[in-house]
Amino acid sequence: MEKTTKRRGFVMRSLDFIERVGNKLPHPVTLFAIFSLLIIVVSGVFSSLGVQVDDPINEGEVLQVKNLLSSEGIAYIFQSAVSNFTGFAPLGTVLVTMLGIGLAERSGLISAGLRGLVTSVPRQLMTAALVFGGIMSSMAADAGYVVLTPLGAVLFAGLGRHPLAGLAAAFAGVSAGFSANLLLTSLDPLLGSLTQEAAASVNPEYAAGMNYMMNYYFMFASVFVLTIVGTFVTEKIVEPRLGEYKGAYKGDVDYLKPEEKKGLWAALFSFIATIALVALLVVPSWGPLRGDGDILEAPFFHTLVPVILIMFFIPGIVYGIITKSIKNDKDVANQMSDTMATMGAYIVLAFVAGQFVAYFNETKLGIVLAVNGAELIQNLGFDSDNRMMGILLILAFIIVTGFINLFIGSASAKWAIMAPVFVPMMMGLGYSPELTQLAYRIADSTTNIISPLMPYFAIVIAFAQKYDKKVGIGTLISTMIPYSIFFTIVWVAMLIIWMLTGQPLGPNAPIEYMG
């Protein structure tokens, strides 16, 4: 028992050290500004050295690092400043979804719903429910970041628990468990199409037989395993380390008043009706959001942000009308305006972060890192006839992918770069494209929550600062590291068991490639 206590004490001290060091970093706005300047300087150095790689997508072409210190590069910096900001991927997603969420919050719907929830759901199941909900939120693409992470904090506060533990549990589910789901999501056809295209360069016939459910069996099982792991980490490591919450918001829970119960029922019925109307746009073959082909390729998967806005907006208005918190259209406009007023800090951060991401893409430094990482694995010389060496090869691939994920946040963008390199390479070694894609998804998901360059990292910090103004990059990273470590260990262990037993990863999706 004494040995366990000392070991755990060392872990806690290590996390405290990470937090102290991380919190000494500059403000995220300053940090992204520094990173942007570094990218400009590094691009000049690499360009002068003639650094280049073979284009992994367009055969026969060479990619060179673009020099942002050149006349052309400097012109790009000034000409693209506005478009870099407005084109920053999370900006529109956050602001649009917050319009609907903000109305639902300020009308009182979210508060009443949470109070009803915390008085009806058993306390011991709350953490698991939050992690599970975060994992399943990938059905709504990236919206889980801006919906569930703040709700997790409020929910825990309402239970008298530390709100940052609730935020961390939700963030872990949404981000570290991003690829897992009980249903297919937009990520499956997005990555699957890139995998099929890469496999077709080696064996078109094999690629034609692949399907978007190639990782479904594994990801289905992962939902339950990761829920258990996330619950354990939250209750046994993260929450004890955070200690008792002593902030201003105590999260006292009041029982619902009759008008609030009436408003909730009305909001629920309106929510169900809204879902039914959206289903009519997607499910029938004539639905405008269905498209002409497979439902998994329907335009609906590209309209989830406005759909989420509507899903919160309509019930929020209905609840407000019933409870008299909304009396006219002016109240609706004012409540939405108040929500946007609270997003000022994020908008400033989005401007600087948008420049950094754009510079990184423009200079091609991300592709250089990805290609060099691929060559590193190719030069390791693993023996494909040895099953254990094959496992080591997959582990090496996961490590390289996780490292690259610290620099390139977009899952689809990274896979568009890596799939043409890694899928054919692994097929040549006797491993299926389905397995390569699965290993990629594990590495991509588990390292999201510890990368300050992940686009939604800044908004999570902003949510956390509502409860503790001192929260910085170090605080969030040190809080999320246990999730990243445990999720990686358990997920990799699952993958090893799958490989050793030879179980299919999905329908007609083997571990080995026999072509």
Side-chain angles (χ1 to χ4, degrees):
M1 180 66 70
E2 182 179 353
K3 183 177 181 180
T4 301
T5 302
K6 289 182 179 179
R7 183 170 65 248
R8 189 174 177 192
F10 172 77
V11 172
M12 296 303 178
R13 288 195 301 272
S14 299
L15 294 178
D16 290 338
F17 174 76
I18 293 172
E19 178 176 356
R20 287 194 301 271
V21 173
N23 282 342
K24 290 181 180 180
L25 293 172
H27 188 280
V29 170
T30 307
L31 196 60
F32 274 110
I34 294 173
F35 285 159
S36 299
L37 292 175
L38 285 176
I39 290 297
I40 294 173
V41 174
V42 170
S43 72
V45 174
F46 279 26
S47 178
S48 64
L49 294 175
V51 174
Q52 63 183 31
V53 296
D54 293 331
D55 192 334
I57 299 177
N58 301 310
E59 186 176 355
E61 296 186 11
V62 175
L63 293 177
Q64 295 181 325
V65 175
K66 181 176 180 178
N67 184 6
L68 293 186
L69 288 176
S70 64
S71 297
E72 181 184 352
I74 292 174
Y76 164 79
I77 291 173
F78 282 90
Q79 293 172 356
S80 65
V82 175
S83 59
N84 292 344
F85 171 51
T86 57
F88 184 52
L91 180 63
T93 299
V94 170
L95 296 183
V96 172
T97 54
M98 287 305 294
L99 284 173
I101 295 170
L103 178 66
E105 180 183 10
R106 295 179 185 279
S107 68
L109 172 60
I110 291 179
S111 175
L114 287 173
R115 283 187 284 128
L117 180 64
V118 298
T119 56
S120 59
V121 174
R123 180 188 182 97
Q124 60 269 27
L125 297 179
M126 193 57 66
T127 306
L130 187 57
V131 176
F132 176 81
I135 295 172
M136 291 297 294
S137 72
S138 59
M139 291 186 295
D142 294 340
Y145 289 106
V146 294
V147 176
L148 278 180
T149 47
L151 292 185
V154 174
L155 184 60
F156 265 46
L159 289 170
R161 300 168 66 177
H162 203 297
L164 294 187
L167 180 143
F171 185 30
V174 171
S175 195
F178 182 72
S179 278
N181 210 289
L182 299 180
L183 304 173
L184 291 180
T185 70
S186 59
L187 188 66
D188 290 282
L190 183 62
L191 298 183
S193 60
L194 295 171
T195 304
Q196 283 182 295
E197 183 177 358
S201 66
V202 176
N203 189 334
E205 184 178 353
Y206 182 91
M210 296 170 61
N211 63 82
Y212 295 150
M213 297 181 69
M214 65 183 76
N215 297 149
Y216 180 69
Y217 296 160
F218 186 92
M219 288 306 176
F220 184 95
S222 296
V223 173
F224 304 102
V225 174
L226 295 183
T227 297
I228 294 172
V229 174
T231 302
F232 171 82
V233 173
T234 301
E235 297 184 346
K236 301 301 181 181
I237 299 177
V238 172
E239 199 165 9
R241 177 173 178 268
L242 290 171
E244 181 183 357
Y245 178 61
K246 298 180 180 179
Y249 179 49
K250 298 298 183 182
D252 294 331
V253 179
D254 297 325
Y255 287 97
L256 295 176
K257 300 175 182 178
E259 61 271 21
E260 291 176 322
K261 292 182 179 180
K262 183 179 179 181
L264 283 176
W265 279 111
L268 176 61
F269 290 139
S270 68
F271 179 74
I272 295 173
T274 303
I275 291 178
L277 290 175
V278 171
L280 286 177
L281 299 176
V282 181
V283 177
S285 59
W286 46 262
L289 296 182
R290 170 65 181 266
D292 298 328
D294 195 315
I295 192 170
L296 293 176
E297 300 176 351
F300 168 74
F301 288 105
H302 301 287
T303 64
L304 289 175
V305 171
V307 167
I308 291 171
L309 163 64
I310 295 172
M311 290 295 187
F312 280 91
F313 184 82
I314 293 178
I317 287 183
V318 171
Y319 178 87
I321 292 174
I322 297 296
T323 60
K324 309 299 183 184
S325 62
I326 294 179
K327 300 180 178 65
N328 50 49
D329 63 305
K330 293 181 180 179
D331 290 336
V332 175
N334 289 335
Q335 290 180 10
M336 296 173 73
S337 298
D338 290 342
T339 298
M340 289 296 100
T342 65
M343 300 301 296
Y346 177 72
I347 293 175
V348 172
L349 182 61
F351 174 79
V352 187
Q355 308 307 315
F356 167 75
V357 172
Y359 295 168
F360 206 84
N361 293 334
E362 182 69 15
T363 58
K364 308 301 181 185
L365 286 172
I367 297 179
V368 169
L369 287 172
V371 171
N372 286 331
E375 292 178 351
L376 174 63
I377 287 187
Q378 284 180 309
N379 293 330
L380 290 177
F382 287 104
D383 183 3
S384 60
D385 294 331
N386 189 312
R387 187 179 292 266
M388 293 308 299
M389 291 301 292
I391 291 175
L392 291 177
L393 175 61
I394 294 297
L395 292 179
F397 172 68
I398 289 175
I399 292 172
V400 171
T401 302
F403 176 75
I404 294 174
N405 191 39
L406 300 179
F407 299 94
I408 307 176
S410 171
S412 58
K414 285 193 302 295
W415 193 229
I417 297 169
M418 298 176 69
V421 177
F422 286 103
V423 169
M425 180 191 72
M426 295 298 225
M427 292 174 71
L429 294 173
Y431 297 103
S432 70
E434 294 89 341
L435 176 63
T436 307
Q437 176 181 286
L438 176 60
Y440 168 80
R441 294 175 72 166
I442 291 174
D444 176 71
S445 296
T446 54
T447 51
N448 281 335
I449 54 176
I450 58 172
S451 172
L453 305 184
M454 194 269 289
Y456 290 93
F457 201 87
I459 191 65
V460 175
I461 291 179
F463 288 141
Q465 287 176 342
K466 177 180 178 180
Y467 303 95
D468 186 350
K469 298 296 183 182
K470 297 180 181 179
V471 170
I473 293 175
T475 304
L476 187 57
I477 291 179
S478 66
T479 301
M480 302 312 299
I481 278 180
Y483 291 103
S484 183
I485 293 174
F486 276 83
F487 274 34
T488 300
I489 292 174
V490 172
W491 228 346
V492 169
M494 278 187 63
L495 180 58
I496 292 175
I497 293 173
W498 228 276
M499 292 179 66
L500 292 176
T501 58
Q503 296 299 314
L505 303 172
N508 299 318
I511 296 289
E512 298 181 352
Y513 169 68
M514 299 295 189

